[in-house]
Amino acid sequence: MLPSAQILSIVFRSNALDKLNTGNIKMNMKTEQKKMKGPMEGVRILDFTHVISGPFSTMLLADMGAEVIKIEKPGEGEFYRAEGTKNEAGVSIVYPNYNRNKKGITLNIKSSKAVELLKKMVAKADVFVENQRPGLLASIGLGYEDLKAINPKIIYASISGFGQDGPYARKPAFDMTIAAISGLMSVNGIEGTVPTKTGAAFSDFISGIYAALGIVAALRKRDKTGEGSYVDVGMFDSILSVLDDFIPKYKVTGKEPTRFGNRRAGFAPVNVFPVKNGEYVYIAGSFQKQWEALASLIGREELITDPRFKDNTGRKQHEALLESIVEEWSLTKTSQDAVIELEKAGIPCAPVKGIGDLFKDEHIQARNSIIECDYPGIGKYAMAANPIRISNYQQPVERAPMLGEHNESILNELLGYTADDIVLLKREGVI
């Protein structure tokens, strides 16, 4: 039996080692956190998409660390590389916006060798994303069932105008036609004028976001079950899901929503108001407390008790008159002064900015919400950053690939093709 002094010495040394080890573990954890790569690291995605919805979807995942291999046709590349707005040097200024952080390879899918090559890539991939016309890829042996037979764990995501089934499935779809048929256009614009599409291609971006979400969910399911999945996202369905409360309101009331432009249904005064420097400020006196604060701010406290304006029902009925009263005040202010006074009074407001103003916005600069990279033929190229911020992870900012830029490296490293093999593929028009 050890003497008590030795026992105590061992205990003390043990405790000291425990503390040291605990400290080392914590330090190692911190080191690992600093080294942490993207949450999608280790996921390989084959991107067989074009235009906006598909490329935007896969770019979001590339931002999160996924390896995304963009597949384009040789010679001209995808639509926005060939047809998008170009600078004086003839370089598309649209394509790079949806394809950062990706690798690029060319495949002539009309070639049977290219189809077989793509299938070999599928065997080593986790996800395949496409936004071609429904049925097109299945007709050449690249449908979900075809790829599932090669790789049962594959996640196959299709983005289309109306989904893969239903009476509209084969209809051609563009953002503006989806806006029209989905009801979005009917509620957008100024009352009494023609229905209006949105400035940005919302159906493309929203369906792209949903596809990325569906892919992540399918990967999570695969982690649990070991099974792959088919993800079907329609632009039409995507817009229906963001139609505010118009669908349930119509079901309950039977009344079609009207276009109310910059106003807000059920609340007043809410609109864009001109200021004296020729600009505009958006003012939202929606809730009773906000309206009363606005009336006091513009020096018209008597309106608070005026029967016409005492509640939102009355204010909506006399909306034009009320807006003219607020405008009398706004026209005496610059946009900066108006915003300062409105914010101090607790009234929701914002200056109406142009796109050029965003580059000078201090909040955007503080959060790096606009990022830049160098792009051949363009120079400095600016893009909106991925809005998802994850602690201990710095999103990469790698420019979009040049056409076929990674042909050799992908074919060699992923499939083991030699330099001679690749030369032959080029000669045969496969890549």
Side-chain angles (χ1 to χ4, degrees):
M1 184 173 179
L2 290 171
S4 57
Q6 277 187 276
I7 294 173
L8 286 173
S9 175
I10 292 170
V11 170
F12 287 142
R13 285 202 303 269
S14 177
N15 288 340
L17 284 171
D18 285 344
K19 289 180 181 178
L20 181 60
N21 289 334
T22 301
N24 286 337
I25 290 169
K26 288 180 179 178
M27 288 179 65
N28 289 336
M29 286 177 67
K30 288 180 180 179
T31 303
E32 286 303 313
Q33 287 177 340
K34 288 180 181 178
K35 291 180 179 178
M36 175 185 172
K37 294 186 179 179
M40 296 293 289
E41 181 191 6
V43 174
R44 178 176 291 133
I45 299 173
L46 301 182
D47 175 357
F48 195 69
T49 69
H50 60 154
V51 195
I52 299 177
S53 62
F56 181 70
S57 180
T58 55
M59 184 183 74
L60 295 177
L61 300 172
D63 289 344
M64 294 299 160
E67 178 191 12
V68 177
I69 300 174
K70 170 95 175 175
I71 300 166
E72 302 179 70
K73 54 188 172 185
E76 59 182 15
E78 68 125 289
F79 176 85
Y80 263 149
R81 192 192 289 276
E83 302 291 338
T85 304
K86 297 179 179 180
N87 66 0
E88 293 180 357
V91 179
S92 171
I93 60 176
V94 184
Y95 173 85
N97 194 42
Y98 310 122
N99 291 286
R100 65 173 175 253
N101 295 323
K102 301 179 184 180
K103 298 176 181 178
I105 187 172
T106 54
L107 282 179
N108 177 9
I109 213 67
K110 294 180 180 179
S111 161
S112 59
K113 279 192 176 181
V115 171
E116 290 307 310
L117 195 155
L118 180 53
K119 287 181 177 180
K120 290 178 182 179
M121 294 174 66
V122 167
K124 295 176 180 271
D126 298 286
V127 182
F128 180 85
V129 187
E130 61 93 12
N131 65 341
Q132 311 298 319
R133 176 170 47 83
L136 174 64
L137 293 187
S139 70
I140 57 173
L142 293 174
Y144 173 56
E145 294 300 329
D146 300 304
L147 302 196
K148 181 182 176 183
I150 299 167
N151 182 353
K153 292 187 176 183
I154 196 75
I155 308 297
Y156 191 119
S158 295
I159 308 172
S160 60
F162 298 96
Q164 299 298 305
D165 54 14
Y168 297 168
R170 295 296 190 272
K171 280 181 176 286
F174 299 89
D175 172 71
M176 61 286 286
T177 60
I178 294 295
I181 199 170
S182 68
L184 176 60
M185 197 177 284
S186 76
V187 296
N188 199 48
I190 305 295
E191 186 176 4
T193 63
V194 298
T196 308
K197 77 176 189 68
T198 56
F202 280 179
S203 65
D204 281 299
F205 293 109
I206 294 170
S207 59
I209 293 168
Y210 278 144
L213 176 60
I215 289 166
V216 171
L219 286 167
R220 174 65 173 150
K221 172 177 171 274
R222 191 181 72 177
D223 287 343
K224 292 182 176 182
T225 66
E227 298 175 353
S229 297
Y230 183 65
V231 178
D232 172 10
V233 175
M235 296 160 68
F236 187 44
D237 298 325
S238 298
I239 288 297
L240 294 182
S241 76
V242 294
L243 280 180
D244 207 327
D245 57 1
F246 299 133
I247 290 175
K249 273 186 177 176
Y250 178 82
K251 180 65 176 177
V252 172
T253 67
K255 296 179 180 178
E256 283 282 350
T258 58
R259 292 184 291 284
F260 40 83
N262 294 318
R263 290 171 170 170
R264 188 177 176 191
F267 296 97
V270 179
N271 211 331
V272 167
F273 293 89
V275 290
K276 72 177 184 181
N277 55 355
E279 299 176 354
Y280 293 89
V281 171
Y282 198 89
I283 302 174
S286 303
F287 305 146
Q288 189 66 24
K289 183 179 178 180
Q290 294 162 353
W291 153 241
E292 292 177 4
L294 180 59
S296 298
L297 175 64
I298 67 176
R300 300 296 299 271
E301 290 90 344
E302 77 278 6
L303 298 178
I304 297 172
T305 55
D306 188 313
R308 295 171 298 176
F309 309 126
K310 68 178 182 178
D311 57 28
N312 255 313
T313 300
R315 291 196 292 276
K316 283 299 290 184
Q317 290 174 352
H318 301 90
E319 191 166 29
L321 174 59
L322 184 55
E323 288 175 348
S324 69
I325 294 171
V326 176
E327 188 173 308
E328 289 177 10
W329 172 84
S330 69
L331 284 171
T332 69
K333 307 289 180 180
T334 64
S335 59
Q336 184 178 14
D337 290 341
V339 168
I340 289 172
E341 293 181 30
L342 289 160
E343 287 183 342
K344 187 176 181 180
I347 301 160
C349 65
V352 178
K353 293 189 175 185
I355 301 301
D357 295 323
L358 302 181
F359 288 86
K360 299 171 284 186
D361 188 286
E362 60 182 2
H363 187 77
I364 288 175
Q365 291 174 355
R367 286 177 59 81
N368 295 316
S369 298
I370 291 179
I371 54 179
E372 291 186 349
C373 65
D374 289 312
Y375 192 83
I378 295 177
K380 286 293 182 184
Y381 189 85
M383 304 166 280
N386 191 311
I388 302 171
R389 313 294 173 96
I390 297 177
S391 62
N392 303 315
Y393 173 58
Q394 182 65 47
Q395 294 178 12
V397 186
E398 298 292 337
R399 65 165 173 78
M402 307 306 290
L403 185 61
E405 181 174 351
H406 302 98
N407 278 356
E408 288 79 6
S409 60
I410 290 173
L411 292 175
N412 175 256
E413 295 168 16
L414 186 62
L415 301 181
Y417 279 59
T418 66
D420 290 341
D421 294 332
I422 295 168
V423 168
L424 182 59
L425 290 173
K426 286 181 181 177
R427 188 179 301 152
E428 294 178 339
V430 176
I431 61 175

